[in-house]
Amino acid sequence: MTETERTLLPRDVRPKKYRLTLSPDLSQYVFTGHEEIHIEILEPTSRIVLHAAELRVESAEVRKNGAVMEAARILLDEKKETVQLEFPRIVPLGPAELRLTFSGKLNDQMRGFYRSLYAVQEETRAMAVTQFEATDARRAFPCWDEPAIKATFEVTLEIPPDRLAISNMPPLESATHAGKKIVRFAETPIMSTYLLAFIVGEFDFVEGKTKEGIQVRVYTPVKKKEQGLFALDVAIRTLSFFQDYFEVPYPLPKMDLIAIPDFAAGAMENWGAVTYRETAILVDPEQSSQATRQRVAVVIAHELAHQWFGNLVTMEWWTHLWLNEGFASWIEYLAVDHLFPEWDIWTQFVYSDFSRALGQDSLENTHPIEVEVKDPNEIGEIFDAISYSKGASIIRMLEAFLGAEPFRRGLSRYLKRHQYGNATTEDLWHALAEASGKPVKEMMDTWTKQSGYPLLSLEEEGRSFSLRQSRFFLAGRTREEEERDLAQWSVPVGVLAPRQPEPSFFIFRERKAPIDLPGNGKGWIKLNPKQTGFYRVNYPLKFWGSFGKVIQSKAVFAPDRLGLENDAFALARAGFLPASQALTLASTYSDESDYTVWADLATNLSELTMILPEEPVYRSFRLFACSLYRPTARRLSWEAQPGEGHLAILLRSLLLAELGGYGDEATIAEARRRFARFLKNPRDLRPDLRFPVYRLEVENGDEESYEAVLDIFRKSDLHEEKMRALRALGFSQQPKLLQRTLELSLSPEVRPQDTPLAIGSVAWNRRGREPAWKFLQSHWEEFNRRYGRGGFLLARLISSTTSDFISEEKAAEVEEFFRAHPAPAAERTIRQSIERIHSNAAWLKRDLKSIEEWLADNAGSRT
Ligand SMILES: [Zn+2]
């Protein structure tokens, strides 16, 4: 699409500086505002168009050379989200000033300028918060709301005297006037509208300084400032790390991190004033799990990376959103690895981002990384696994190919060249090519401009081998379909073999070509060392048979062990490998010691569990799963070992939840014993064990157990703890209790940001799948009102309640429902869910019999 087809504002007027004053009313949930915008008239015009949505624009005038001209007409266009100001005469070329007064509502939809509720003793109070990305600054004040139209901002907030105001820059002065506190902030550097922020509320904070002297503060709920200390330490060290890595100083005088009670995403990188969901920033020294510490560190690293990559250099248009998100989703690992090397976070990348992206991108209904978008619905929908996780995965692939140091030099060059401006994907490739001397664009275009990714098939032909590439689809492809598809990638291929030094890489561009294998294919061979390449691999069947020994002897690193089972399950699902082969391979992991390998394998096994019909096959599968998890879970035991690390703690929680979830009697009994003890003495149960214990108690207990966990949800004042309990409430086996969880999710007790988590937990439960889907349908109006504008929450709600169905009838039912109840902001998510249902049904039809046979031969004897 060309630029003119995008919904862009006319280019005849350009803002230079906004002087913006906002006055929120925290009891009536409304605000008034006025602004003076210094503009440059580039073409004489009597009409000025800028963005505005859900605002009343009360007056508009333009001032030039001492003359004042009032707008004759102010026309709001709700659909285009613009306001057109018509003046009686032409405004001539050159600088001018535009003055507007306006008013709006502090909405409850977590976008634009919105209210978030919190309790002080028994009283409920509201804070006013902003969330502008992608296109919601226009809901707070009329502006040129496009990332490439940068300007400076001088913000003034008029607030109740007992509240605190935070914005991107530090306050310059604060005065009281007519019963209000008036806080004027320093002028920002030149920046995009979507990165502006203002927060008015009550907070405590902890603070410190980076070694470069930047002031860092973490704002927490009142009386909980110790919960900000972990984040403060991470933020201080991460800011310095990025400054050294990019060789560009952090450009603002301060960095604030603010915990917000109601928040749609995980966090938002507003320049100098990053906002977070409470569970993504607060760490309670006594009650937070290791998993929460890790999440907090990762999210902070992500948002702070954006301060350079996104804020200092901004994508030219949302088509290049992936540049921001893919990059931040990659470098968050680099920073966390620097701070916490013992977390082995790069191996975790392969599970959290790489596998996730391969899954999503194997659908027909995926999209290229660089995708043309025009209206807000389309823009909202690309904040997905493709922009984040696939983006991060191909950046990791490129870094492995170019080498860490040339890659870093290229990034630094890119940031210095485009700072305070905008850039495109090509600009990044250009800088990386200069720094590395390698043809980056030629290779990377094949990854960013077309959908999907290749399956490399290693094929044996007599005594030699060949390599063939074809696009991989979740639902599989016939050979003829593959040959008709012209998609081709430049794939950096590396080969691992026994007793081989470092693997070397070559670029594979052909459809098919002969390949020399080390040892001519005698002994084992594995492609894609450490899973740095964004592709899957299929091998001759006898190779698959040889991998069991490789796994058991740990002849390859954890990412490679993960890659083998992950490819095997995906290939089985697509019909390229018998399901029995994938299960045979899975059974060789029972002595696995790596947390991430287990996490990925557990996800693949539970996806298979999802599609299995009821007894007896489901029962045999559970026996098999227990036999697989039991040896490692026993070895770890329930008790922390002296000196054990982060990963052992994560692994214990995972294995106990899996083992108990598949019905292991001893694990369930111990979980319930510990729950009873915990009720008497809450200090008795470590935070890391709480989720598995709550879950197994609800899953195996009666109404009394349910009430006890519900009570934890109600009484805890730590959001993380509340979420553990709420999730556990989705695991009941009793229909009426599942119904209660569903009803609870929409009650005032559950924040709208958390409703999808509660419903998703019920839907994930076999017995809850149908009730959750019914609940979504019968309350669609409310869901659509709350989340209908799109984003993470709507997508999560729809995919979690629909995509695990396993019959064609259900696919038709889901399709029918959304035909009658369109959700334009989740159109692709709906198509993806329907595609997944078809694929579940096809897999079951093809492989159920062989799975049953395999389980009959293997499950019984292994218990
Ligand atoms: Zn981001």
Side-chain angles (χ1 to χ4, degrees):
M1 189 184 303
T2 58
E3 194 177 272
T4 51
E5 289 171 75
R6 295 172 181 167
T7 320
L8 291 172
L9 293 172
R11 290 302 198 238
D12 49 4
V13 179
R14 208 177 160 89
K16 296 285 204 192
K17 173 181 174 176
Y18 294 80
R19 296 188 64 193
L20 173 66
T21 301
L22 286 164
S23 183
D25 180 333
L26 300 176
S27 55
Q28 300 300 311
Y29 305 153
V30 291
F31 64 91
T32 56
H34 58 91
E35 59 184 337
E36 299 155 27
I37 315 174
H38 299 177
I39 54 176
E40 186 76 25
I41 308 286
L42 302 171
E43 279 170 53
T45 178
S46 62
R47 180 206 64 158
I48 296 178
V49 185
L50 57 165
H51 283 115
E54 293 166 13
L55 291 176
R56 262 177 66 104
V57 178
E58 274 126 22
S59 71
E61 61 183 44
V62 71
R63 293 175 175 230
K64 190 166 170 58
N65 306 331
V68 179
M69 181 159 56
E70 252 185 70
R73 297 211 298 164
I74 298 174
L75 299 170
L76 281 156
D77 185 329
E78 260 177 59
K79 214 167 159 268
K80 287 191 184 149
E81 303 186 338
T82 57
V83 58
Q84 179 166 321
L85 311 171
E86 293 182 359
F87 294 95
R89 291 184 306 281
I90 301 265
V91 190
L93 276 183
E97 192 179 297
L98 181 65
R99 293 193 175 191
L100 297 163
T101 60
F102 54 92
S103 61
K105 274 196 187 120
L106 293 174
N107 70 65
D108 65 350
Q109 291 164 12
M110 296 179 278
R111 64 190 165 109
F113 200 15
Y114 71 94
R115 62 184 190 260
S116 173
L117 303 180
Y118 60 101
V120 178
Q121 277 119 28
E122 296 300 292
E123 189 195 339
T124 299
R125 293 186 191 164
M127 62 173 79
V129 190
T130 53
Q131 167 59 45
F132 289 164
E133 192 179 19
T135 58
D136 291 326
R138 63 192 69 170
R139 276 161 224 283
F141 63 104
C143 57
W144 279 262
D145 197 12
E146 291 173 18
I149 308 187
K150 290 191 169 186
T152 67
F153 296 84
E154 197 185 295
V155 174
T156 300
L157 295 172
E158 301 178 346
I159 63 169
D162 59 344
R163 302 297 155 95
L164 200 74
I166 305 165
S167 187
N168 306 76
M169 297 294 285
L172 273 186
E173 55 183 9
S174 177
T176 311
H177 178 72
K180 280 194 169 178
K181 184 155 85 178
I182 296 163
V183 186
R184 188 162 69 88
F185 294 90
E187 185 175 344
T188 69
I190 183 165
M191 63 184 274
S192 304
T193 46
Y194 80 91
L195 293 166
L196 200 65
F198 9 96
I199 297 106
V200 178
E202 293 169 275
F203 299 93
D204 279 344
F205 64 82
V206 285
E207 68 180 332
K209 271 197 162 75
T210 66
K211 64 180 164 63
E212 297 80 16
I214 304 292
Q215 177 200 283
V216 181
R217 279 186 182 172
V218 179
Y219 287 89
T220 70
V222 173
K223 295 203 177 109
K224 291 188 180 166
K225 65 178 172 186
E226 77 287 352
Q227 293 181 4
L229 288 169
F230 179 79
L232 181 68
D233 173 60
V234 169
I236 286 175
R237 292 197 285 147
T238 305
L239 269 184
S240 294
F241 170 76
F242 284 141
Q243 174 148 337
D244 295 344
Y245 182 84
F246 293 132
E247 296 180 87
V248 176
Y250 173 69
L252 303 188
K254 61 93 176 174
M255 163 54 67
D256 291 331
L257 299 86
I258 309 121
I260 306 293
D262 297 282
F263 202 81
M268 174 64 211
E269 70 261 25
N270 316 303
W271 215 359
V274 182
T275 41
Y276 294 80
R277 195 180 263 236
E278 289 188 351
T279 47
I281 187 164
L282 301 181
V283 170
D284 183 283
E286 303 272 308
Q287 292 197 70
S288 284
S289 65
Q290 279 303 118
T292 293
R293 284 178 173 79
Q294 180 176 310
R295 172 158 191 241
V296 166
V298 166
V299 176
I300 289 176
H302 180 105
E303 304 308 329
L304 295 192
H306 276 315
Q307 306 303 307
W308 286 262
F309 216 101
N311 301 6
L312 182 62
V313 179
T314 310
M315 77 240 132
E316 182 263 343
W317 178 248
W318 300 106
T319 294
H320 304 281
L321 172 74
W322 88 274
L323 264 188
N324 273 10
E325 297 308 346
F327 182 80
S329 302
W330 170 78
I331 204 168
E332 67 192 38
Y333 288 85
L334 195 73
V336 169
D337 191 45
H338 176 78
L339 264 61
F340 303 98
E342 68 281 12
W343 290 2
D344 191 15
I345 201 80
W346 277 117
T347 297
Q348 297 195 52
F349 177 93
V350 182
Y351 166 59
S352 326
D353 282 283
F354 177 83
S355 290
R356 177 166 173 251
L358 286 178
Q360 185 93 331
D361 206 28
S362 65
L363 297 172
E364 298 264 4
N365 289 295
T366 182
H367 63 84
I369 280 183
E370 285 184 71
V371 57
E372 274 301 343
V373 284
K374 39 186 198 313
D375 65 44
N377 274 337
E378 287 180 355
I379 295 167
E381 244 201 317
I382 58 169
F383 286 80
D384 66 358
I386 300 303
S387 300
Y388 284 73
S389 297
K390 183 181 180 184
S393 299
I394 65 158
I395 285 174
R396 176 168 168 263
M397 173 167 73
L398 182 61
E399 196 225 17
F401 180 64
L402 299 182
E405 186 48 27
F407 185 81
R408 190 197 63 77
R409 280 200 312 270
L411 286 178
S412 176
R413 188 184 282 249
Y414 164 86
L415 288 173
K416 286 174 187 157
R417 184 175 289 160
H418 301 284
Q419 57 184 332
Y420 301 105
N422 295 78
T424 64
T425 305
E426 267 68 27
D427 294 324
L428 178 61
W429 298 159
H430 189 61
L432 289 169
E434 285 175 350
S436 68
K438 289 188 181 163
V440 175
K441 183 175 154 52
E442 287 73 3
M443 171 178 152
M444 294 311 284
D445 274 356
T446 68
W447 297 95
T448 63
K449 292 189 189 297
Q450 56 185 352
S451 298
Y453 59 87
L455 166 65
L456 300 193
S457 305
L458 185 64
E459 290 166 350
E460 193 169 11
E461 291 168 346
R463 286 164 170 232
S464 57
F465 292 89
S466 66
L467 199 58
R468 188 165 66 82
Q469 64 164 302
S470 58
R471 182 169 166 193
F472 180 79
F473 285 98
L474 180 74
R477 275 280 165 112
T478 63
R479 191 71 182 238
E480 296 78 66
E481 283 171 327
E482 279 183 355
E483 265 149 30
R484 276 203 304 275
D485 192 331
L486 296 176
Q488 237 165 295
W489 287 262
S490 293
V491 192
V493 176
V495 181
L496 279 174
R499 287 178 299 282
Q500 213 204 197
E502 282 291 287
S504 59
F505 286 86
F506 63 95
I507 295 282
F508 178 62
R509 293 187 187 84
E510 296 79 8
R511 298 282 289 185
K512 185 173 175 178
I515 177 173
D516 287 329
L517 294 180
N520 199 27
K522 308 272 186 305
W524 57 268
I525 292 292
K526 183 194 172 285
L527 270 59
N528 205 5
K530 296 200 180 162
Q531 303 299 103
T532 53
F534 196 69
Y535 56 89
R536 293 195 182 281
V537 187
N538 197 2
Y539 303 87
L541 211 50
K542 69 172 189 200
F543 278 42
W544 283 109
S546 72
F547 289 141
K549 273 198 220 96
V550 177
I551 299 302
Q552 284 165 330
S553 64
K554 302 198 173 64
V556 292
F557 291 119
D560 295 303
R561 301 200 293 276
L562 185 162
L564 286 172
E565 54 81 19
N566 194 291
D567 279 349
F569 277 99
L571 291 166
R573 190 173 182 125
F576 292 119
L577 192 69
S580 57
Q581 190 71 54
L583 287 168
T584 300
L585 183 68
S587 69
T588 63
Y589 284 77
S590 59
D591 283 328
E592 179 58 56
S593 51
D594 187 89
Y595 159 71
T596 312
V597 178
W598 273 118
D600 194 77
L601 180 60
T603 301
N604 289 320
L605 290 174
S606 70
E607 276 181 13
L608 176 53
T609 321
M610 288 289 177
I611 67 153
L612 291 179
E614 292 303 324
E615 317 305 351
V617 60
Y618 180 51
R619 186 185 139 72
S620 322
F621 188 83
R622 279 162 43 211
L623 290 175
F624 160 64
C626 286
S627 71
L628 183 63
Y629 289 114
R630 201 173 285 123
T632 310
R634 288 267 157 84
R635 206 165 46 240
L636 273 174
S637 86
W638 280 81
E639 298 301 335
Q641 312 297 311
E644 75 178 5
H646 177 77
L647 293 168
I649 296 170
L650 297 187
L651 180 57
R652 178 179 298 109
S653 316
L654 171 77
L655 291 181
L656 291 174
E658 293 294 328
L659 190 53
Y662 283 112
D664 181 66
E665 302 282 350
T667 305
I668 294 168
E670 181 61 18
R672 302 199 61 189
R673 198 178 68 76
R674 283 174 187 255
F675 186 76
R677 224 168 63 187
F678 163 77
L679 290 183
K680 292 197 194 90
N681 178 12
R683 298 183 74 90
D684 222 35
L685 187 59
R686 295 174 48 147
D688 305 285
L689 291 178
R690 287 190 190 170
F691 174 70
V693 165
Y694 297 171
R695 168 195 162 164
L696 294 175
E697 179 67 26
V698 171
E699 199 168 16
N700 298 283
D702 51 13
E703 195 157 349
E704 206 180 311
S705 304
Y706 184 94
E707 293 291 348
V709 174
L710 179 60
D711 203 46
I712 296 169
F713 167 75
R714 288 188 168 143
K715 294 212 173 119
S716 173
D717 66 348
L718 180 68
H719 203 70
E720 175 190 345
E721 175 76 349
K722 275 180 174 298
M723 291 306 100
R724 283 195 279 262
L726 184 61
R727 233 179 105 204
L729 293 177
F731 282 84
S732 173
Q733 297 300 299
Q734 298 185 25
K736 73 167 187 198
L737 296 178
L738 288 176
Q739 200 55 39
R740 268 183 75 183
T741 307
L742 291 170
E743 304 287 345
L744 177 72
S745 78
L746 274 184
S747 76
E749 285 188 82
V750 173
R751 291 184 182 273
Q753 64 173 8
D754 301 319
T755 304
L757 174 138
I759 296 174
S761 176
V762 175
W764 197 78
N765 177 342
R766 290 168 78 88
R767 286 179 205 269
R769 199 179 289 165
E770 188 65 37
W773 164 233
K774 288 230 158 66
F775 190 76
L776 178 88
Q777 295 173 79
S778 54
H779 295 83
W780 177 251
E781 213 170 298
E782 172 62 10
F783 292 126
N784 196 32
R785 187 193 74 79
R786 286 184 179 192
Y787 317 118
R789 281 256 313 158
F792 307 92
L793 295 176
L794 186 68
R796 187 178 309 161
L797 192 62
I798 292 175
S799 69
S800 70
T801 49
T802 56
S803 59
D804 291 330
F805 284 118
I806 54 176
S807 71
E808 297 293 342
E809 296 75 57
K810 274 296 180 201
E813 188 183 314
V814 171
E815 205 166 353
E816 186 52 42
F817 177 79
F818 286 108
R819 199 176 302 134
H821 304 85
E827 214 186 294
R828 190 181 287 119
T829 304
I830 294 165
R831 280 187 276 125
Q832 288 172 339
S833 286
I834 295 166
E835 185 180 344
R836 282 188 192 277
I837 305 173
H838 287 305
S839 135
N840 291 342
W843 191 18
L844 198 59
K845 194 168 158 206
R846 188 177 60 238
D847 268 346
L848 180 60
K849 204 163 170 328
S850 73
I851 293 170
E852 279 172 340
E853 283 167 7
W854 188 90
L855 288 169
D857 291 345
N858 294 276
S861 61
R862 300 181 59 89
T863 54

